[in-house]
Amino acid sequence: MFTFDIVPGGTVRDVLRDGRRDIIDLVDRTYRLHEAGRTVNPDSYFLRFPEKPDSRIIALPAFLGPESGVAGIKWIASFPENTRSGAPRASAVLVLNDYETGYPVACLEAAAISSARTAASAALAARTLRPAGYQGSTIAVVGAGVIARNICDYLHAADCVPGSWLVHDLHEPSGQALVEHLRATGRAPAAFTTDLGEALAADTVVFATTALKPYVTTPFKPGQLVLHISLRDLAPEVVLAAQNILDDVDHCLKADTSPHLAEQATGSRDFVTGTLAGVLNGEVTPDAERPVVFSPFGLGVLDLAVGAFVLERARRDGTAIDIPDFFGETRRW
C-alpha cells in the first residue's frame, strides 16, 4: 500500500523504444474504452504566464476506470523558447495513483510518455484513415522536433511506410536532422524542402509545429490525409472544407485550436465527422471525396495507459527505483 517508485527518463525511453507496436495497440484499446464512457477525462487545466504568452504548464487528470484501478495526472510544460538553446520544448512528470486507496504509487518522467502516446495516436490514425496504405505515396512532415521524430518512428512501427518522405521546418538545421534520422531509420528516401507549399501537396501531411495561430489557408484536396497533431496550423476555412476526425469532440473544441476556431466561425459543430474511435468501431466512415483531417487534443487517459504500461515493465525488469519511507505517516495513530 505504501510503496512508491520513481521511473527515470532513461528507463522510460528504453521501455517505449522496445514496445512501439504494443503502445499503438494500447492507444487503440484506450480510445475505444473512452468512447464507451468507461473512463473519466476532465478538462485540462492551463497555467499561463502574462509575460510569456507562448508558454504554459498543463495539468491532465484522468481515470482509466475501475477495471484498471489506475488514476493520475500529467503535469506538462510547453516552453517553445527552449528550442532556441537546443533544449526540447516540453518537459513533464506523470503521477499514478491507486484507485482503492488514492495513494500515489509512482512518479515517471513523462515527456517521453507524452510524446509516445501522441505519436502512437498519429500512427493509429494514419493506419486507420488511409486503409489503402502508403506504398508509392509521399508523407510530408511540417515541424521537425521531438514529436515529429517520434511520429515518424511510430509510423514505421504501424507499417505506414511511404515511397518518400519530405520534411519542412522554419529552422533548417532541425529539418535536416529529421531527414538524417529518416535516412538512418526509414525504408524510403527523405529530403528537406524550404517550400511549405510543396510539403502541403503531399499525399499525407503531418503537422508537428509550435504554431499558436493558423497559417495554412488553402484547403487540401480529396484523397489527402492530414495528421493535424499541433492543432493550430489550419485556418477555419481549411477545417470546414475537410472531413474532420477528432479524438474527443468536447476536448478538441476549446483553447483556440483550429477546430475550435471553425466552431466559432460557424456557430456549429456540423463540420465534425466523428471520432477516431468511431472509425475504429466501424460507426464512422469518412467521405473519400473530401480530404480527411485528424485533430487530436490529447487525452490524459492515454498518458495513464502508457504510463501504467511503462511502470509494469520497469518493475518487472527491476529498473523502477523504489523510494523507501516516501510517506511520512502510514498510520492514523
Side-chain angles (χ1 to χ4, degrees):
M1 177 177 178
F2 298 113
T3 60
F4 187 82
D5 291 319
I6 299 290
V7 185
T11 297
V12 172
R13 184 180 61 247
D14 291 344
V15 171
L16 293 174
R17 183 189 59 235
D18 296 336
R20 289 186 184 124
R21 290 182 183 271
D22 292 330
I23 297 299
I24 294 170
D25 291 341
L26 181 59
V27 167
D28 184 333
R29 295 194 300 273
T30 305
Y31 270 143
R32 295 177 196 253
L33 193 70
H34 180 69
E35 185 85 353
R38 294 162 61 191
T39 66
V40 180
N41 201 106
D43 285 343
S44 302
Y45 297 90
F46 288 71
L47 175 62
R48 300 186 184 277
F49 308 93
E51 295 79 16
K52 301 178 72 172
D54 64 339
S55 300
R56 58 196 184 274
I57 308 179
I58 313 168
L60 288 81
F63 175 47
L64 274 176
E67 292 180 4
S68 74
V70 178
I73 188 167
K74 180 176 73 172
W75 181 238
I76 181 166
S78 175
F79 280 56
E81 285 297 309
N82 289 353
T83 61
R84 292 184 178 273
S85 63
R89 170 188 59 86
S91 58
V93 293
L94 176 69
V95 176
L96 298 180
N97 295 74
D98 176 64
Y99 175 54
E100 182 178 351
T101 66
Y103 272 79
V105 297
C107 179
L108 300 88
E109 194 281 331
I113 289 171
S114 186
S115 179
R117 64 85 150 143
T118 300
S121 171
L124 178 64
R127 186 173 68 189
T128 305
L129 298 174
R130 193 179 176 91
Y134 290 82
Q135 185 175 4
S137 72
T138 298
I139 296 179
V141 184
V142 180
V146 172
I147 296 292
R149 183 184 72 228
N150 276 275
I151 289 173
C152 293
D153 291 341
Y154 272 82
L155 287 171
H156 283 140
D159 295 321
C160 299
V161 180
S164 62
W165 295 90
L166 198 58
V167 176
H168 172 81
D169 195 292
L170 295 177
H171 184 246
E172 185 168 342
S174 296
Q176 294 288 4
L178 181 57
V179 167
E180 291 306 313
H181 176 75
L182 287 167
R183 288 173 178 170
T185 62
R187 290 167 278 175
F192 178 80
T193 180
T194 59
D195 184 356
L196 175 62
E198 182 182 9
L200 298 181
D203 302 291
T204 300
V205 183
V206 179
F207 288 97
T209 73
T210 58
L212 297 176
K213 296 181 179 180
Y215 56 93
V216 177
T217 58
T218 302
F220 293 94
K221 297 178 180 180
Q224 283 187 283
L225 172 62
V226 179
L227 303 177
H228 187 209
I229 308 307
S230 39
L231 283 177
R232 294 173 177 84
D233 305 82
L234 309 182
E237 58 267 30
V238 178
V239 173
L240 295 172
Q243 296 274 285
N244 290 280
I245 304 297
L246 313 181
D247 56 355
D248 180 290
V249 177
D250 289 333
H251 281 76
C252 197
L253 296 183
K254 63 183 180 183
D256 290 334
T257 64
S258 294
H260 186 205
L261 297 179
E263 180 190 32
Q264 292 175 326
T266 62
S268 169
R269 296 183 172 186
D270 291 345
F271 64 90
V272 177
T273 308
T275 64
L276 182 59
V279 179
L280 290 167
N281 290 334
E283 300 162 354
V284 176
T285 303
D287 184 355
E289 297 302 314
R290 300 174 66 190
V292 177
V293 176
F294 174 58
S295 299
F297 191 77
L299 301 177
V301 289
L302 299 182
D303 295 291
L304 288 194
V306 176
F309 173 88
V310 171
L311 178 61
E312 187 276 329
R313 291 288 178 92
R315 283 175 168 171
R316 183 197 68 185
D317 297 341
T319 52
I321 302 171
D322 177 47
I323 307 298
D325 302 321
F326 179 80
F327 298 99
E329 296 188 47
T330 57
R331 298 185 61 86
R332 293 184 65 199
W333 296 102

